[in-house]
Amino acid sequence: MNPSNQSAHREWGSFRPKAVLFDMDGVLFDSMPGHAVCWEQTFQKYGLHANAYDAFLHEGRTGEGIINQFAVTDWGREATKEEVAEIYAYKSQLFNQLPESKKMAGAQELLELVKQCGMKILVVTGSGQASLLSRLETNYPGIFKPEWIVSSKDCERGKPFPDPYLLGLERGGISASEAIVVENAPLGVEAAVKAGIFTVGVNTGPLPEQLLAQAGASVVLPSMSALAELWRTTYL
Ligand code: CA
């Protein structure tokens, strides 16, 4: 086991983190059902054989990453930059027609506990949706700093590559062993664990729980509320 894996796999509560890196969709916002439905409609329009469940399976990839995942299988090649732009614009337009997604139950409580502990709070998301990024401040006023938000626009390679989480560590001025990641998607967990970070999986979607553990999550919980409760008893 290399040093980075050792810091990713430890006992819950065996260290006190200096920072917590939160994924956004499916963690801070209950936005994944909406994203999945929009991806399904987009896949159908462009002749890609994938559905809403596949969107959950590939959650965490950038728009380009998701499109190419299925383009390679169905078209025998990756999508061109122009195709990616058109397809992602179509999906974004569908998503923006939906009612705004709600805050994830328990997220506000957990963020306040983390803040109370004096730990840094960062967001590391594969999303590039301007509407959601700006909504962070509206929904969770005073919690986030713009310089501590990493979006798909900041990294060439999205999750499951470790790059977005490594950039988050760099921006926060912290090492992997000083952080905890909160993720809901298997590929997001994979990215965080590859970056050497202790990762909590919160299973807020339809996938089986063991996918998060198999991806490397050291702890798997059913909800953000459950994590908030555990946080309170561990760190306060
Ligand atoms: Ca997510």
Side-chain angles (χ1 to χ4, degrees), residues 51-111:
N51 57 27
Y53 191 83
D54 294 308
F56 277 101
L57 273 181
H58 290 277
E59 184 192 343
R61 293 190 197 279
T62 59
E64 180 175 15
I66 289 181
I67 291 161
N68 278 330
Q69 191 69 30
F70 303 111
V72 167
T73 312
D74 287 337
W75 303 345
R77 62 171 178 83
E78 290 202 334
T80 64
K81 292 281 176 201
E82 292 73 23
E83 285 168 336
V84 167
E86 182 189 329
I87 296 170
Y88 192 61
Y90 182 80
K91 184 262 168 183
S92 299
Q93 171 232 323
L94 289 178
F95 186 78
N96 289 334
Q97 287 169 8
L98 296 179
E100 290 202 328
S101 12
K102 292 190 166 57
K103 290 159 75 167
M104 184 63 77
Q108 178 81 47
E109 188 189 356
L110 177 59
L111 289 167

Side-chain angles (χ1 to χ4, degrees), residues 1 5 8-9 53 57 160 183-194 199-203 207-221:
M1 194 179 272
N5 277 338
H9 300 289
Y53 191 83
L57 273 181
E183 264 285 355
N184 74 306
L187 295 178
V189 170
E190 192 182 323
V193 170
K194 278 190 202 151
T199 303
V200 177
V202 283
N203 195 26
L207 302 180
E209 222 172 64
Q210 61 264 32
L211 287 184
L212 294 171
Q214 283 164 11
S218 294
V219 178
V220 179
L221 295 167

